[in-house]
Amino acid sequence: NSFVTRTNTCGELRSAHVGQKVTLYGWVQYQRQGLFLVLRDFQGLTQIIIPQDEAHSHVKELLSSAPVESVVRVTGIVSPRPPGQENPKMPTGDIEVKAETAEILNSCKKLPFEIKDFIKKSEALRMQYRYLDLRSFQLQSNLRLRSRMVMRMREYLCNLHGFVDVETPTLFKRTPGGAKEFLVPSREAGKFYSLPQSPQQFKQLLMVGGLDRYFQVARCYRDEGSRPDRQPEFTQVDIEMSFVDQAGIQRLIEGLLQYSWPEERGSIMTPFPSMTYEEALAEYGTDKPDTRFGMKIVDISDVLRRSDIQFVQNALSYPHGSVRAICIPQGVRYLTNKDLESLKQSAKSQFNQEIVEIIRRPDGSLKSVLTKFLGEKQQSELIQALNMQGDDVVLLAAGEHKHVCSALGTLRLLSANLLEAAGLALRDPTAFHFLWVVDFPLFLPKAENPTELESAHHPFTAPHPSDASLLYSDPTKVRSQHYDLVLNGNEVGGGSIRIHSAEQQRFVLEKVLKEDSEVLSHLIEALEFGAPPHGGIALGLDRLISLIVDAPSIRDVIAFPKSFRGRDLMGNAPDYVTPEELEPYHIQVSWPLEEKEAKKN
């Protein structure tokens, strides 16, 4: 209550304050028949008793007529609630304030929606009136938890470990590879700035500059449309260190998260488990596994290698052919035929992958189109390999190893959603399973042209020391010193040890990625002036906080987010500008025909 004219907040009065005269400021949450109202501020709720005597008739009239969400000041005496009228669900439920004087500071007009967490509101309406939505308990709680965590992170990095907080430019130039960047026109004809998708180059240049340890809560930009876990502008906890290896960065981040972790979410155990990219793909079908539940992908190629099943033999005849399966516990009990069909359809539509189901009946026998091709011994081996129990359902796929794993990985998550929707508790919503994924490939074939390579992480990532020579002979086989941090099946951080040799950096850009290294000449030249070995990481702050508070979208942990299509519905941005405003930037808008017609009308 420092610097303000209130004596207390609406969430702090208790029985110990009985008899005190207090002044409260807040919003009218609720008013009942001119008898009492509930006043709300950022910290909580207090019940205000409206005086009924003649001497305070003006106070009664004022408070009885104040619309919901009006801002009022109330001065009165803290009193105990009458016996039997206490509210144990409210922290202030043992007391009430008997109003003596009051003032309406600002009356509220008719609301577009009720400001209560349990009232359903369309997201578009919430975004349009974001300043009202921010009054809800949930958003207030999310933003305050975010603020506390960032403060603790600053303490840990700057005060305990000597990091320097440096702001890097947001007007820069295009970076090769990676996500699409927003362009900002300049007054030089044909020249544009780019908004950086991360401070990657600047933090490396700070290491060349000898800063040793850098950190920043950085604003980043990507022009690639919104998804539930993406925004065109987002925030990273950005970190870079000199003279460090992968293990050093991992220990730093584990310590950082342990130090800043909210007490009310329990404690997290360190060190976090680690898994290679190949293991993650083989067992979970993804490079961001959700390890809160089992249902791992099992390789059953050897069990079925001697079978007469044609599609199995076809798959195994290819160099990377594989037969794999997942076992859905109690699938018969919890999944309908419609559910199983939808799983098969998902595999077909997303991966063009056929799925065969196998059911283990309660008597131990198997039910499947495949059983007639399998002898008793093979059926027994299959049951053992998949640890099948009665009423379990197995989904089997055959084909190229990575393709089959990806399809089954998707089905694993879809199955988990279906089981939980049917009432089977599979994933503990209060559990936080962190995991390091390491040993990623340094390069991957481009989706649009598999004969060309692109960086799996970014072009500044260093090759694994054991694979350094392969960079020049067979770059597709090179592992990288790239590491991702995964939480409950979501990537919440990614980093790498960087290339600090100008020669190696030039080779990767020009010879492997076929990029024009001239765009990065400033960075390559900097590496020639005694660049130290260095590495770093960036944590996605929005995503991390949304997982901690169990928000359905990162938009629920950002004060003023963009909509699903990247628009600001409250301020109506982006917006048109006049030709006169564009003139200094040497830009003319070429309108699509239908928009020309719309503007005419």
Side-chain angles (χ1 to χ4, degrees), residues 46 53 82 111 250 303 330 391 406 490 549 553 568 591:
T46 297
D53 59 308
L111 292 161
Q250 289 174 336
V303 176
Q330 300 295 290
D391 283 341
S406 296
N490 296 269
V549 302
S553 159
D568 180 336
W591 294 103

Side-chain angles (χ1 to χ4, degrees), residues 359-515:
I359 291 169
R360 189 177 190 197
R361 299 187 182 99
D363 65 6
S365 65
L366 297 183
K367 176 190 171 188
S368 172
V369 295
L370 302 182
T371 47
K372 61 184 175 188
F373 299 104
L374 301 172
E376 260 184 52
K377 184 170 180 286
Q378 280 179 316
Q379 289 190 31
S380 173
E381 284 174 2
L382 197 61
I383 289 167
Q384 200 173 348
L386 291 158
N387 191 22
M388 287 179 80
Q389 309 299 314
D391 283 341
D392 284 0
V393 175
V394 162
L395 301 180
L396 178 149
E400 193 272 328
H401 166 66
K402 282 187 178 175
H403 188 81
V404 163
C405 290
S406 296
L408 288 174
T410 298
L411 296 189
R412 175 179 177 266
L413 294 175
L414 291 174
S415 304
N417 293 341
L418 289 169
L419 290 173
E420 287 181 337
L424 181 68
L426 202 61
R427 294 170 286 199
D428 180 354
T430 64
F432 294 98
H433 284 223
F434 282 99
L435 172 76
W436 289 109
V437 179
V438 299
D439 291 355
F440 282 79
L442 189 57
F443 307 108
L444 291 170
K446 283 185 179 177
E448 66 276 13
N449 185 359
T451 59
E452 292 181 10
L453 296 177
E454 63 185 1
S455 297
H457 186 220
H458 57 52
F460 315 113
T461 299
H464 196 288
S466 314
D467 299 350
S469 60
L470 286 170
L471 183 64
Y472 304 97
S473 57
D474 191 354
T476 56
K477 288 197 167 66
V478 180
R479 290 169 300 161
S480 69
Q481 292 189 70
H482 160 202
Y483 31 86
D484 273 356
L485 182 61
V486 175
L487 171 58
N488 294 355
N490 296 269
E491 183 195 332
V492 291
S496 65
I497 301 302
R498 323 299 185 191
I499 295 170
H500 64 277
S501 149
E503 186 189 346
Q504 192 176 71
Q505 185 65 80
R506 196 177 278 113
F507 179 85
V508 165
L509 286 165
E510 293 177 358
K511 299 291 189 277
V512 182
L513 300 175
K514 307 289 192 283
E515 294 275 6

Side-chain angles (χ1 to χ4, degrees), residues 110-276:
K110 187 172 171 21
L111 292 161
F113 53 78
E114 281 191 75
I115 297 167
K116 289 174 183 165
D117 286 309
F118 58 84
I119 299 284
K120 291 275 187 206
K121 304 158 287 242
S122 77
E123 193 167 44
L125 199 61
R126 288 177 58 201
M127 306 279 254
Q128 188 181 345
Y129 295 96
R130 188 61 167 186
Y131 43 84
L132 293 179
D133 201 30
L134 285 169
R135 292 183 192 173
S136 71
F137 169 78
Q138 194 57 62
L139 278 187
Q140 289 265 332
S141 169
N142 292 353
L143 293 176
R144 289 174 193 282
L145 180 139
R146 178 182 177 130
S147 171
R148 288 195 303 274
M149 270 198 83
V150 170
M151 195 66 227
R152 294 280 289 172
M153 286 178 173
R154 285 186 193 280
E155 280 175 21
Y156 183 84
L157 293 167
C158 297
N159 298 353
L160 299 183
H161 293 287
F163 279 77
V164 185
D165 186 350
V166 182
E167 291 125 33
T168 54
T170 49
L171 290 176
F172 194 44
K173 65 188 283 192
R174 191 184 70 80
T175 308
K180 272 190 176 176
E181 294 170 334
F182 285 101
L183 297 177
V184 180
S186 78
R187 289 171 185 260
E188 292 185 61
K191 290 191 174 181
F192 291 80
Y193 296 105
S194 269
L195 298 181
Q197 51 187 297
S198 84
Q200 183 59 46
Q201 294 179 54
F202 290 111
K203 63 181 183 177
Q204 289 192 240
L205 293 166
L206 287 169
M207 297 305 101
V208 178
L211 249 77
D212 192 67
R213 294 180 169 205
Y214 143 92
F215 134 84
Q216 181 186 187
V217 179
R219 298 296 282 162
C220 305
Y221 307 88
R222 282 185 186 151
D223 185 11
E224 55 179 16
S226 275
R227 297 206 300 265
D229 57 350
R230 285 274 170 94
Q231 283 274 293
E233 49 183 333
F234 55 98
T235 307
Q236 287 183 350
V237 179
D238 204 47
I239 290 169
E240 198 79 5
M241 294 172 80
S242 295
F243 312 112
V244 70
D245 60 10
Q246 186 168 308
I249 296 280
Q250 289 174 336
R251 296 298 85 80
L252 168 80
I253 295 304
E254 289 167 0
L256 172 72
L257 287 169
Q258 208 165 32
Y259 186 85
S260 61
W261 197 254
E263 278 181 24
E264 64 270 29
R265 291 296 188 273
S267 56
I268 50 174
M269 301 301 293
T270 60
F272 300 153
S274 185
M275 184 183 293
T276 68

